[in-house]
Every structure is written in structure tokens, then in C-alpha cells.
Amino acid sequence: MMNCPRPDRSPPEGQPSDHSTPYGWMDHALTTIHRADWHRQVRPLTGLPGPVVKAAGRSLLNFASNDYLGLAGHPATIAAAQAATARWGTGSTGSRLVTGERPLHRQLERVIARLKGTDDAIVFSSGYLANLGAIAALVGPRDLILGDRYNHASLLGGIRLSGATALTYDHCSMDHLAKLLAAHRDRHRRCLIVTDTVFSMDGDVCPLPELLDLADNWGAMVLVDEAHGTGVLGDRGAGAVDQLGCSGRSLLQMGTLSKALGSLGGYVAGSAAAIDFLRNRASTWIYTTGLSPADTAAALAAIAIVRRDPQRRQQLWRNVETVAAGLGAIAAKFSPQVRLLPSDSPILCLQVPTAAIVVKLGQTLEKSGFLVGAIRPPTVPTSRLRITVRADHDLDQCQELIDAIAIALADTLAAP
Ligand SMILES: *Cc1c(COP(=O)(O)O)cnc(C)c1O
């Protein structure tokens, strides 16, 4: 048996001596977080995901999920997950390259490639891991990455992990991107432009055709994050790339299985060479356990619904139009304190003056039976209510939300 050596408590040369509370800084950090109204907590929902959810025994109308098509609680996805678990077990038991590969995995990758119009696809255990692994595999310290200021945190994580020189361009500004390319592209080996297609905390869509033109001119690769586009945008639900007519162009499309597809996991779709390369170099794919049979089968069932049931998407967009019109009227009434951010997606954001106000609004709405996102810094630069619309809301529920927000705003802004 080995003994664990006792730590040496004597202070290192030239340093103050109190090392007795190495975790004490956390209390100070938490105090700072509380003081800024930035503190967050989890809150369990019970029952199946759907337009109405239960929290602490109360029913709430759910305008905060990413389950745009209502597939996370759909009988067909649940049945597919159950059948796959019964047949293949609960876990895939290893890395895809060792013992974790099941026939379902390649089946899902082929179906994603078909939806996206690419040669092939690779499925990761989450969208976050897909971004970390893909970006860090594509570029390294000799390379340049250009990213939109409002990109998702997982893209930023991938950029940091890659060690590449990273520059940020103003939100959706192709002029700024062009200037940065002109000033910096030639000093680097490879160049990668990364952007959300649908921006997750704003709901607007990046100007992809112009971005791809710039990439062509400057010999840059492009990775787009379709987390909120897949299943939602385009005639077939293939995403923003398809909707904007960019399907045939050379780029890498990543996305998640955990939003409109209601499962868990992420993917990258692209050329055969790109996907084969990622299978050999993406460490977050190689050194992690393969997607579970249940998640894989649920995603397959969800994509089947996306393909054969366009009516779900039409219902979603009908609801988006209704809620957007209502929120537009509210923003006009409470202008300039309240602003409806531009959106081309089911993500609709009402910007309000402070974090304290958005927290209060979230609580008031919850008391009156509505679940909406109260999003604050540091997630976003300005506080906002983030409302996400689902296909399975009915028009009455949409109207109830609009009325409740108008009342909550009148109360909260009158007595801050
Ligand atoms: C949610 C999200 C991700 C991460 O996807 P997960 O599968 O939940 O890990 C990546 N990018 C964007 C834009 C997202 O909104």
C-alpha cells in the first residue's frame, strides 16, 4: 500500500502565507455574482416535454424550450428509443473506434447527410463536443479563425482549444469580416470562418451567401452552426444553408440532435474527405463514448418526422408569425425601454433595460403560468426575455402569452 503524502503547508518563497482556505475564493465569487443579479439556479420540470410543462406541481405554458417541433415527447421518438434500448442496451460501451459502433450510428449519419445534401456526416455525443472537436481538428496555432461576435459559447470553446489566432467581427457585419480578411488572411496558413446560422440568443440569421463569397475570395474554410436551423428552416427542414440556397457550396455544417430533433447529440456534415478526416482527428469524437442507442434511434425517428410531416413546420411558422406580431405591438407600446430584436426564426427576444427587470418579468410571468427565458449578461450583452415558439402551441396559447407579457411589463416598468 502506498501512503498519500501530506501536503507541504509551508508558504513558497516570497508569497503571502495563508494557504489554509484554498476554496475560500468561491464564496467571494458567488457574492459578486449575486450582487450583479447574475446568479442562476436549476429548476426541475416534471412530466413529458410539451407545450405545457409542470414545475413544482404547477402547469406552465412552455415558451422556453428548444423543442420547436414537439418531438422530444412524441410517441414515435419515445417508441424508437425504447425499442433501441431493448435491442442494443442502454449504453454503447466504448469509443466508436473501439467497441462503441452500432449499425444505428452509420444509419443516422447517412440520414443526416441526405437531409443536408452532403457526402457524409459524423455524429458526436453533443453539439458542444462537435464544435470543440471539429474546430480544434481543422485549425491550429499557425492558422486564423474569424468569428461573429454573437457566436455560441461552444464555438468559442473550440476556437480556444485550437490555439489558432482568433479575431471577432461585428455581428453579421460582412464589411468588418472583409476588412479582417484583407488585413490578416495572408499571414496565416489555413483560415476558418465560424458562425451560427440562427443566432441562439437573438433569433436572427447570418448573411450566409455573402459570407461564403468572402470565404471563396480569400481561400477560407467555413463552419456554420445550424443548432437552431435544423428541422426549422427551409422547405424540407434542412436548415438555413438550404433555405438560403447555399447547399451546393463548400462548407461544413454542424448542428445538434437536441433541439428541434428532441434527442441528444451533435453532428458535422460535409465532404467525404472532411468527415473521414474528423473521424481520424477530432479528439472529442475519438476519446469519448459513442452516442447511446436510445439517443441515436430517437434522432432517426425525429428526422423521419421532419421529412414526412412538413405540416408541423407550417404550424410552427404560423405560431411564430402570431407571437412576433403581438410582441411587435408590445414593443411599440413600451418603446424605447422595450425593443423586439430582429428575428427570422422561432426565437423572439424582447430587450428590456436591466438584468433586475428581466428577472422580475420572468418571475411575474411564471406566477401567471408562463415559462419564458430571462436571459442576462454574461450570456448576452443586454437583458432580454427570450421566447421560443413551438409547433404544438395553439393560437389561444400564443395570445395568452402576449396578453400576459403586456401586463407583466406594465407592472414591472411602472414599479421597478
Ligand atoms: C445548443 C447549442 C449548441 C450545443 O448543442 P448541444 O447538443 O446542446 O450540446 C451549439 N451551438 C448552438 C448555437 C446552440 O444553440
Side-chain angles (χ1 to χ4, degrees):
M1 290 265 292
M2 287 212 317
N3 279 323
C4 185
R6 287 173 65 87
D8 177 8
R9 292 224 175 260
S10 57
E13 208 90 345
Q15 272 197 20
S17 63
D18 188 9
H19 296 287
S20 61
T21 57
Y23 302 94
W25 62 268
M26 290 178 189
D27 293 324
H28 295 289
L30 281 167
T31 306
T32 307
I33 291 168
H34 276 290
R35 222 179 270 141
D37 283 319
W38 284 8
H39 189 254
R40 299 132 186 260
Q41 271 173 310
V42 297
R43 181 252 320 270
L45 301 181
T46 53
L48 279 180
V52 180
V53 290
K54 282 208 159 159
R58 289 183 60 228
S59 289
L60 298 170
L61 267 179
N62 181 10
F63 283 92
S65 79
N66 299 315
D67 183 20
Y68 302 110
L69 299 173
L71 299 183
H74 191 286
T77 54
I78 294 171
Q82 286 171 331
T85 303
R87 181 158 184 208
W88 306 103
T90 50
S92 62
T93 76
S95 164
R96 294 273 299 279
L97 290 173
V98 187
T99 59
E101 182 78 9
R102 302 290 175 275
L104 281 177
H105 289 130
R106 282 303 282 157
Q107 212 178 316
L108 176 59
E109 287 168 344
R110 292 208 181 89
V111 165
I112 291 170
R114 203 180 327 147
L115 181 70
K116 296 287 171 179
T118 57
D119 297 343
D120 204 352
I122 176 173
V123 169
F124 292 74
S125 299
S126 78
Y128 203 115
L129 288 172
N131 274 334
L132 293 188
I135 295 171
L138 292 169
V139 287
R142 294 163 62 193
D143 304 322
L144 175 67
I145 302 189
L146 299 159
D148 189 286
R149 187 172 300 289
Y150 289 180
N151 273 347
H152 190 260
S154 56
L155 291 169
L156 302 185
I159 290 169
R160 288 202 194 101
L161 191 61
S162 75
T165 299
L167 300 172
T168 304
Y169 56 88
D170 293 340
H171 181 51
C172 289
S173 170
M174 294 301 99
D175 286 344
H176 194 196
L177 175 59
K179 283 195 187 112
L180 290 177
L181 282 163
H184 299 273
R185 171 67 187 100
D186 288 343
R187 289 193 239 143
H188 298 270
R189 182 183 61 164
R190 300 177 199 143
C191 177
L192 175 67
I193 302 171
V194 293
T195 182
D196 289 15
T197 54
V198 177
F199 286 87
S200 57
M201 292 296 146
D202 296 78
D204 54 346
V205 174
C206 82
L208 192 58
E210 295 86 342
L211 187 148
L212 289 169
D213 289 344
L214 281 173
D216 287 348
N217 285 344
W218 289 97
M221 302 178 285
V222 175
L223 174 81
V224 296
D225 182 332
E226 287 264 53
H228 296 274
T230 301
V232 171
L233 294 180
D235 293 341
R236 303 180 302 116
V241 173
D242 186 54
Q243 184 183 45
L244 296 169
C246 299
S247 284
R249 305 193 55 172
S250 51
L251 80 165
L252 288 155
Q253 308 177 49
M254 75 71 61
T256 176
L257 308 175
S258 24
K259 289 183 174 140
L261 301 179
S263 180
L264 179 68
Y267 63 83
V268 178
S271 70
I275 302 309
D276 199 28
F277 173 78
L278 290 178
R279 273 195 290 265
N280 285 276
R281 282 285 187 275
S283 65
T284 61
W285 187 80
I286 298 170
Y287 300 104
T288 197
T289 301
L291 202 61
S292 80
D295 292 323
T296 313
L300 271 164
I303 294 174
I305 294 172
V306 165
R307 292 164 62 116
R308 69 159 190 261
D309 191 2
Q311 214 190 319
R312 242 166 220 281
R313 218 160 21 255
Q314 287 153 16
Q315 235 165 284
L316 171 66
W317 284 99
R318 178 204 66 176
N319 290 345
V320 170
E321 278 160 31
T322 305
V323 176
L327 295 177
I330 288 174
K333 183 167 167 214
F334 292 97
S335 170
Q337 280 168 292
V338 176
R339 196 162 85 83
L340 177 63
L341 301 182
S343 168
D344 304 291
S345 74
I347 301 167
L348 300 168
C349 293
L350 270 187
Q351 184 179 294
V352 298
T354 65
I357 288 175
V358 88
V359 171
K360 181 82 198 311
L361 283 168
Q363 287 164 351
T364 306
L365 284 165
E366 188 164 330
K367 273 191 208 127
S368 36
F370 298 86
L371 191 59
V372 301
I375 314 289
R376 306 163 258 179
T379 307
V380 287
T382 56
S383 295
R384 65 200 63 179
L385 285 179
R386 177 177 181 269
I387 292 127
T388 54
V389 182
R390 304 168 55 101
D392 50 11
H393 287 131
D394 64 37
L395 286 176
D396 286 344
Q397 292 170 329
C398 295
Q399 192 55 50
E400 284 172 43
L401 171 79
I402 293 160
D403 296 343
I405 290 177
I407 293 169
L409 270 171
D411 289 353
T412 309
L413 294 177

